[in-house]
């Protein structure tokens, strides 16, 4: 597939004529990003022979990285700030497993932060990419496969009638905000505490994991004017949303939310929450925007909107529709019968196993999952919003995290991030993870 098709779409659930008027900006799919390639001369075979867990090569490479990149990483949450130790550098991924540059193997529950839902480096995806790359990697012009992917997305996601492909979830959310403002002629937007919608300035208010993980009050460098029109409410708090509409009559273009929060840890909506948002936005002629960058194609093939049966006006997607790279095969694989049932089965077993291990060993852990998205908090719970999530014992999480690494299990390095399973995770992976969790919980 030509690389002019990008990993993220903005799905526009508006009428075709209004959409056409509002999307005259330059197609960003041809923009040139610079990616730096990293060469690491590490012999995997040599490392296979190693028995003990060591991170010597990671430590050395990370020291070098810190000299060249702020914090030594290219995304704050990779920096291990909240779990201690140093980030691990990886050499390869396959199926449900990752291998670091010291030759250690891990069962992976980050899944490249969501895209790897059918497992890493799937053979058919690699073959399709190799075939397509022979035709060139960038056209800067339309190509047929854009139509194929657009049609698949439109068929899959209930609210989407047309799509605009962009390069990242951040761009998708920036675009959707501009569209909502242009369509309604209003500037204020409501977002929820702990929800993350990419790193565009207007959204960097109470934005969940990245900021929470680093313990920053809010993001330095964001001018007040950029967030002046951003109103916030606690997640799952309908009365707070009603108050905001009451106090800002005729000024609010819409509500944007993660229909299931993943960026403050896993927090599902309470049963009536999303339907109330649908009602409130309709009553106020405002738009309901689902940021399905994380939940799209994960909670179900049609995303959270299909799962909950609520149709938003606008949708942003990312992660899975790109599969880390443009990935039509990824979507085909997900369409196979039983995919989501399998994800639900293994993920609920995993979470229940960890909660039970907590009970056996005397640690308060709560958690949950929907399909292949999950999370657990080191607190009694229940966790309904970011304030509840922050009651977690993050020190204990850090000790648990380090112990699990040594047992060969890789979770996201923050208490405030969701985890992900894939179709490549086996029952054995899950059982090993639960056994490792119990072992580590006994030690901390
Ligand atoms: C819900 C949500 N929206 C937007 C984004 C931003 O996406 P990207 O990192 O591709 O810019 C993310 C990234 O994790 C996300 O989880």
């Amino acid at each position: 597939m030509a690389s002019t098709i990008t990993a993220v779409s903005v799905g526009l659930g508006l009428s075709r004529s209004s959409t056409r008027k509002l999307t005259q900006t330059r197609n960003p799919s041809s923009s040139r990003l610079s990616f730096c390639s990293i060469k690491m001369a590490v012999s995997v075979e040599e490392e296979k022979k190693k028995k003990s867990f060591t991170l010597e090569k990671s430590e050395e490479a990370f020291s070098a990285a810190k000299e060249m990149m702020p914090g030594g990483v290219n995304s704050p949450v990779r920096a291990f700030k909240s779990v201690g130790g140093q980030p691990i550098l990886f050499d390869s991924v396959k199926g449900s497993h990752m291998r670091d540059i010291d030759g250690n193997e891990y069962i992976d529950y980050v899944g490249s932060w969501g895209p790897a839902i059918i497992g890493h480096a799937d053979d058919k995806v690699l073959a399709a990419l190799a075939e397509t790359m022979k035709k060139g990697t960038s056209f800067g012009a339309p190509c047929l496969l854009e139509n194929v992917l657009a049609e698949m997305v439109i068929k899959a996601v209930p609210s989407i009638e047309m799509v605009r492909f962009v390069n990242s979830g951040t761009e998708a959310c920036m675009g959707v905000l501009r569209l909502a403002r242009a369509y309604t002629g209003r500037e204020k937007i409501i977002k929820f505490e702990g929800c993350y919608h990419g790193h565009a300035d207007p959204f960097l208010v109470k934005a969940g994991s990245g900021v929470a993980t680093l313990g920053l009050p809010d993001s330095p460098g964001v001018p007040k004017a950029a967030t002046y029109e951003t109103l916030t409410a606690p997640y799952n708090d309908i009365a707070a949303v009603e108050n905001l509409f009451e106090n800002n009559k005729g000024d609010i273009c819409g509500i944007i939310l993660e229909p299931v929060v993943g960026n403050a840890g896993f927090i599902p909506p309470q049963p009536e929450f999303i339907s109330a948002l649908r009602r409130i936005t309709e009553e106020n002629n405002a738009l309901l925007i689902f940021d399905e960058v994380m939940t799209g194609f994960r909670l179900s093939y049609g995303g959270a909107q299909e799962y909950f049966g609520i149709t938003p006006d606008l949708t942003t997607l990312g992660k899975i529709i790109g599969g880390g790279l443009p990935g039509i095969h990824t979507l085909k694989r997900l369409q196979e019968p039983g995919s989501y049932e399998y994800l639900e089965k293994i993920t609920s077993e995993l979470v229940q196993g960890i909660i039970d291990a907590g009970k056996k060993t005397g640690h308060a852990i709560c958690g949950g999952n929907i399909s292949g998205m999950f999370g657990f908090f080191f607190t009694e719970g229940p966790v309904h919003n970011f304030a509840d999530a922050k009651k977690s014992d993050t020190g204990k999480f850090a000790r648990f995290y380090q112990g699990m690494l040594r047992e060969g299990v890789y979770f996201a390095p923050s208490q405030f991030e969701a985890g992900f399973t894939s179709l490549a995770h086996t029952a054995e992976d899950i059982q090993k993870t639960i056994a490792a969790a119990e072992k580590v919980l006994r030690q901390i």
Side-chain angles (χ1 to χ4, degrees):
M1 169 185 282
S3 65
T4 45
I5 297 181
T6 52
V8 175
S9 82
V10 183
L12 310 178
L14 292 167
S15 72
R16 281 161 192 272
S17 53
S18 59
T19 308
R20 233 171 254 134
K21 265 189 270 155
L22 293 165
T23 53
Q24 299 301 317
T25 46
R26 191 176 77 89
N27 184 344
S29 65
S30 61
S31 57
R32 289 164 191 83
L33 291 178
S34 303
F35 293 97
C36 302
S37 68
I38 306 164
K39 281 191 188 165
M40 282 178 196
V42 177
S43 157
V44 172
E45 283 315 305
E46 182 193 306
E47 295 310 315
K48 268 187 194 164
K49 292 172 200 149
K50 269 203 181 136
K51 296 237 167 47
S52 60
F53 181 82
T54 165
L55 294 172
E56 276 165 31
K57 290 189 173 169
S58 264
E59 280 160 13
E60 197 182 316
F62 183 63
S63 298
K66 278 197 293 191
E67 299 296 316
M68 298 177 282
M69 294 171 278
V73 291
N74 285 299
S75 172
V77 81
R78 294 178 198 167
F80 271 49
K81 282 270 190 263
S82 69
V83 292
Q86 290 197 342
I88 295 168
L89 278 78
F90 285 93
D91 178 68
S92 60
V93 285
K94 184 76 184 168
S96 59
H97 285 238
M98 302 172 89
R99 174 186 282 270
D100 71 19
I101 63 170
D102 285 278
N104 303 304
E105 287 243 7
Y106 306 83
I107 303 168
D108 173 34
Y109 291 104
V110 178
S112 196
W113 302 96
I117 192 167
I118 68 168
H120 290 289
D122 176 87
D123 288 341
K124 285 192 180 155
V125 170
L126 294 185
L129 284 169
E131 220 21 64
T132 308
M133 290 227 230
K134 286 183 198 156
K135 297 182 177 181
T137 55
S138 178
F139 301 167
C143 70
L144 269 180
L145 287 175
E146 281 176 313
N147 290 16
V148 176
L149 186 56
E151 195 181 353
M152 288 179 92
V153 173
I154 290 164
K155 275 197 181 145
V157 186
S159 72
I160 295 183
E161 294 172 12
M162 300 184 86
V163 298
R164 160 63 59 94
F165 293 115
V166 294
N167 288 303
S168 66
T170 295
E171 273 183 66
C173 292
M174 276 166 57
V176 91
L177 176 58
R178 189 177 309 139
L179 177 60
R181 284 173 165 165
Y183 183 74
T184 58
R186 303 171 181 176
E187 294 194 0
K188 291 193 195 298
I189 177 91
I190 298 180
K191 78 173 280 292
F192 293 97
E193 291 166 15
C195 283
Y196 176 64
H197 305 294
H199 56 275
D201 285 355
F203 292 122
L204 286 178
V205 188
K206 301 185 177 168
S209 61
V211 170
T213 304
L214 293 176
L216 298 174
D218 252 314
S219 300
V222 175
K224 281 196 191 86
T227 55
Y228 185 71
E229 309 288 8
T230 309
L231 309 173
T232 58
Y235 194 75
N236 274 324
D237 190 336
I238 299 166
V241 174
E242 282 174 327
N243 281 342
L244 287 175
F245 273 100
E246 188 57 35
N247 296 331
N248 295 275
K249 277 208 167 76
D251 288 340
I252 299 175
C253 72
I255 300 176
I256 187 167
L257 78 155
E258 291 183 67
V260 172
V261 185
N263 285 287
F266 173 86
I267 306 177
Q270 287 183 291
E272 70 288 4
F273 182 58
I274 297 188
S275 53
L277 298 183
R278 183 63 287 183
R279 172 183 56 75
I280 296 167
T281 43
E282 274 167 9
E283 285 168 1
N284 289 280
N285 291 322
L287 299 171
L288 181 60
I289 307 168
F290 277 10
D291 178 352
E292 296 228 41
V293 167
M294 199 178 272
T295 54
F297 293 96
R298 179 159 285 276
L299 300 194
S300 73
Y301 194 68
Q305 51 198 270
E306 180 183 69
Y307 187 86
F308 294 118
I310 303 283
T311 307
D313 300 299
L314 295 163
T315 303
T316 56
L317 293 169
K319 299 190 187 278
I320 288 172
I321 73 157
L325 279 168
I328 289 168
H329 170 71
T330 299
L331 301 192
K332 284 190 182 155
R333 174 72 183 87
L334 288 174
Q335 283 174 345
E336 286 175 18
S339 296
Y340 289 92
E341 288 78 1
Y342 182 75
L343 289 173
E344 174 61 36
K345 181 175 177 301
I346 57 162
T347 317
S348 55
E349 275 170 21
L350 173 71
V351 174
Q352 198 50 52
I354 292 173
I355 293 172
D356 289 346
K359 278 192 195 129
K360 276 192 211 163
T361 55
H363 295 285
I365 300 179
C366 69
N369 78 292
I370 296 177
S371 183
M373 177 174 175
F374 71 91
F376 51 89
F377 296 99
F378 277 90
T379 179
E380 284 291 346
V383 173
H384 291 312
N385 55 38
F386 195 31
D388 293 339
K390 283 194 285 190
K391 290 179 191 152
S392 301
D393 185 338
T394 50
K396 194 183 272 186
F397 175 80
R399 294 195 295 283
F400 175 74
Y401 187 84
Q402 292 296 344
M404 291 302 276
L405 279 182
R406 299 187 83 82
E407 293 299 317
V409 177
Y410 191 74
F411 287 120
S414 164
Q415 172 70 104
F416 304 114
E417 288 285 355
F420 304 108
T421 52
S422 75
L423 295 178
H425 281 80
T426 60
E428 196 191 342
D429 287 336
I430 303 300
Q431 288 318 316
K432 270 191 189 163
T433 306
I434 295 170
E438 190 174 327
K439 181 174 167 191
V440 172
L441 286 168
R442 286 193 193 289
Q443 293 161 358
I444 61 172

